[in-house]
Amino acid sequence: MYRNTSNETSMRSSASYSYLKKVDKIKAIPHPMGIVKWKGMASNLDLQSYRMGDQYAAALSKGLKHMTLENVNISNNRLTKDGTKVIINKLRPNFKFLNVSEKYI
């Protein structure tokens, strides 16, 4: 008999799992967007020049709800107004800095 352990429950409520699940759903290739492979401070997410479009923004937003970020840089990506809104709406209210410059709208 299979049991759901607390480790599995914890994994399913993680940023990485949520992102990868959405990427799989939209049949996209996952990119290590700082949410899967972390570099730097845990309160910073720098996705500058990742060539991220709106579909990846939707996938990323699924993971953001599990993160407490202060600084987010999504500049120089292929985001439209809609993709940018999806990301902003998932950020927790305590974020201090958001860079959305050089977007392709």
Side-chain angles (χ1 to χ4, degrees):
M1 181 174 207
Y2 178 74
R3 287 187 171 174
N4 189 6
T5 66
S6 63
N7 242 1
E8 291 174 37
T9 303
S10 175
M11 181 189 77
R12 289 175 192 240
S13 64
S14 74
S16 297
Y17 180 83
S18 298
Y19 165 72
L20 292 170
K21 185 176 176 185
K22 179 64 176 183
V23 167
D24 185 53
K25 185 177 181 178
I26 63 174
K27 297 183 182 350
I29 299 170
H31 292 279
M33 293 187 172
I35 202 166
V36 175
K37 184 177 179 185
W38 202 263
K39 291 182 181 177
M41 295 179 58
S43 61
N44 298 330
L45 183 62
D46 187 356
L47 302 177
Q48 178 181 4
S49 302
Y50 269 69
R51 299 184 325 255
M52 176 175 42
D54 290 348
Q55 283 191 331
Y56 283 105
L60 175 67
S61 72
K62 295 293 183 183
L64 290 178
K65 66 182 178 182
H66 302 287
M67 303 172 77
T68 304
L69 298 169
E70 292 180 7
N71 302 300
V72 178
N73 182 357
I74 55 172
S75 66
N76 199 26
N77 282 289
R78 297 176 296 147
L79 296 170
T80 66
K81 182 173 79 172
D82 294 334
T84 303
K85 279 167 106 176
V86 167
I87 291 173
I88 291 171
N89 287 334
K90 292 296 180 175
L91 291 174
R92 293 188 178 179
N94 62 326
F95 80 92
K96 297 175 184 171
F97 176 78
L98 174 66
N99 185 352
V100 294
S101 63
E102 301 178 42
K103 295 185 302 122
Y104 300 107
I105 299 177

